[in-house]
Amino acid sequence: GGGQAERLALASESSLGWLRRSCAVTTVAWRLCVPTVAMLPEQLQNVEAAVLAMHREPSRAAECDRFLQQFSRSEEAWSGALQLLGSVHPECRLASGAMLHLKARRDASSLASVDALALLSRCLEALSGTARTLRAQLTVAAAHLASRALAGPEGLPALPAFAALPPAQRVELLGSLPLAWPPERLRTSLPAVLALLTSLVDTEAAAPLSVAACAAAWQPLGADLTDLGALVRPLALALRPHGGDRDAQAEEWPAEAAAEALCGALEVAAFPPSASATELSRSLLTSLSDLASLALPHAATATA
């Protein structure tokens, strides 16, 4: 599985199908000289009006779709989408996130690294205080831009905009990187990323959904239980029926992603011999047994 970040990104992307269509064009390489330059006020107003009409005036949908298709192919789409993040209309803010997500996924590789870095910083600055769906879009956009701007994920902590994010949002971005980077570029960064993730986690408490999803996203790159290290305890605690609270804004328990990460780690060939992992194995078995009564209530009742 791709983890929670992928599911959120796909869900929010599907809510704006028109933007998927508007981005289905041939990519043309171009040099975005100043990616943060503002559009002219009248240009931005036209884009904002088109987005609103797409949602509120069905009779104008085709006209607005053609306009937005043309806009999405332009160099100004980067700065225009960033400016729309400040719109008073929620439809425009959500559209800006979807546009940045899809444009970054399609066009980030065409950017000069300095331009990708400038856009990455702007996306990171916009993350704080945003609603969950919009934040998911911006996070995936930032992951794609980072793949162009940075030599590796190890460069993220040096960015002021990344360091200024709350820990939970830094974790969400780390969990989105496998969606945007080729696996061969990430495998060498696995130890550094897991160390960074560990530094952002309370290792004595159950892992929240963002941490469990991040671990699940990175584990397929080859992490075994030894690689997870101090993360094993919070992930195991999240398996228990009352080990983690349900995320108020999500429809999932952290247990699902935690189990995905731990089960994957158990299957890695480098897993240590049982003689050296007895205590750890016993702890995981206890957690999984506790979870069984929650995941399989009917079976548990029948065998009681």
Side-chain angles (χ1 to χ4, degrees):
Q4 175 69 3
E6 183 179 18
R7 289 190 286 272
L8 288 171
L10 292 175
S12 52
E13 178 182 351
S14 64
S15 68
L16 288 171
W18 62 268
L19 200 48
R20 180 194 294 271
R21 296 192 303 273
S22 72
C23 288
V25 297
T26 302
T27 301
V28 178
W30 46 268
R31 174 73 159 83
L32 181 58
C33 298
V34 190
T36 55
V37 164
M39 297 173 61
L40 293 174
E42 57 270 24
Q43 291 177 305
L44 188 62
Q45 289 171 4
N46 287 340
V47 174
E48 189 174 48
V51 172
L52 292 175
M54 285 289 296
H55 288 270
R56 302 177 182 182
E57 301 178 42
S59 63
R60 297 187 57 201
E63 172 194 357
C64 294
D65 186 53
R66 287 192 297 271
F67 173 81
L68 290 169
Q69 285 184 38
Q70 181 179 3
F71 173 70
S72 73
R73 293 191 293 267
S74 71
E75 299 183 12
E76 290 81 7
W78 288 110
S79 58
L82 286 168
Q83 288 177 265
L84 280 180
L85 288 172
S87 174
V88 298
H89 303 288
E91 301 98 327
C92 292
R93 294 195 297 271
L94 185 60
S96 68
M99 185 177 294
L100 284 167
H101 171 192
L102 297 178
K103 195 162 181 65
R105 191 175 67 185
R106 185 194 64 184
D107 295 341
S109 61
S110 300
L111 295 169
S113 58
V114 64
D115 294 335
L117 183 60
L119 286 162
L120 170 61
S121 295
R122 289 293 299 275
C123 281
L124 294 178
E125 290 166 359
L127 279 174
S128 295
T130 58
R132 185 180 184 86
T133 300
L134 176 55
R135 190 171 73 245
Q137 295 280 23
L138 292 175
T139 298
V140 177
H144 283 279
L145 290 167
S147 72
R148 177 59 178 159
L150 304 174
E154 298 90 337
L156 279 171
L159 300 180
F162 179 81
L165 290 173
Q169 292 180 16
R170 279 180 274 172
V171 169
E172 289 176 356
L173 179 57
L174 292 176
S176 293
L177 296 181
L179 302 177
W181 294 57
E184 58 273 15
R185 288 183 63 190
L186 291 182
R187 285 193 180 96
T188 57
S189 301
L190 181 60
V193 170
L194 291 177
L196 178 56
L197 178 60
T198 302
S199 72
L200 299 172
V201 174
D202 179 358
T203 56
E204 297 301 316
L209 181 58
S210 60
V211 171
C214 184
W218 279 85
Q219 187 285 318
L221 293 169
D224 62 12
L225 289 182
T226 303
D227 296 322
L228 292 179
L231 291 170
V232 170
R233 177 175 175 79
L235 289 172
L237 290 173
L239 293 175
R240 298 176 179 176
H242 303 293
D245 295 330
R246 180 184 289 276
D247 189 314
Q249 293 181 296
E251 294 301 323
E252 298 180 52
W253 292 92
E256 181 181 347
E260 184 180 342
L262 291 171
C263 289
L266 284 165
E267 294 174 359
V268 174
F271 178 69
S274 58
S276 62
T278 301
E279 183 178 352
L280 179 58
S281 298
R282 185 183 298 114
S283 174
L284 287 173
L285 180 59
T286 300
S287 297
L288 289 169
S289 298
D290 289 344
L291 183 63
S293 62
L294 178 68
L296 303 170
H298 298 298
T301 300
T303 57

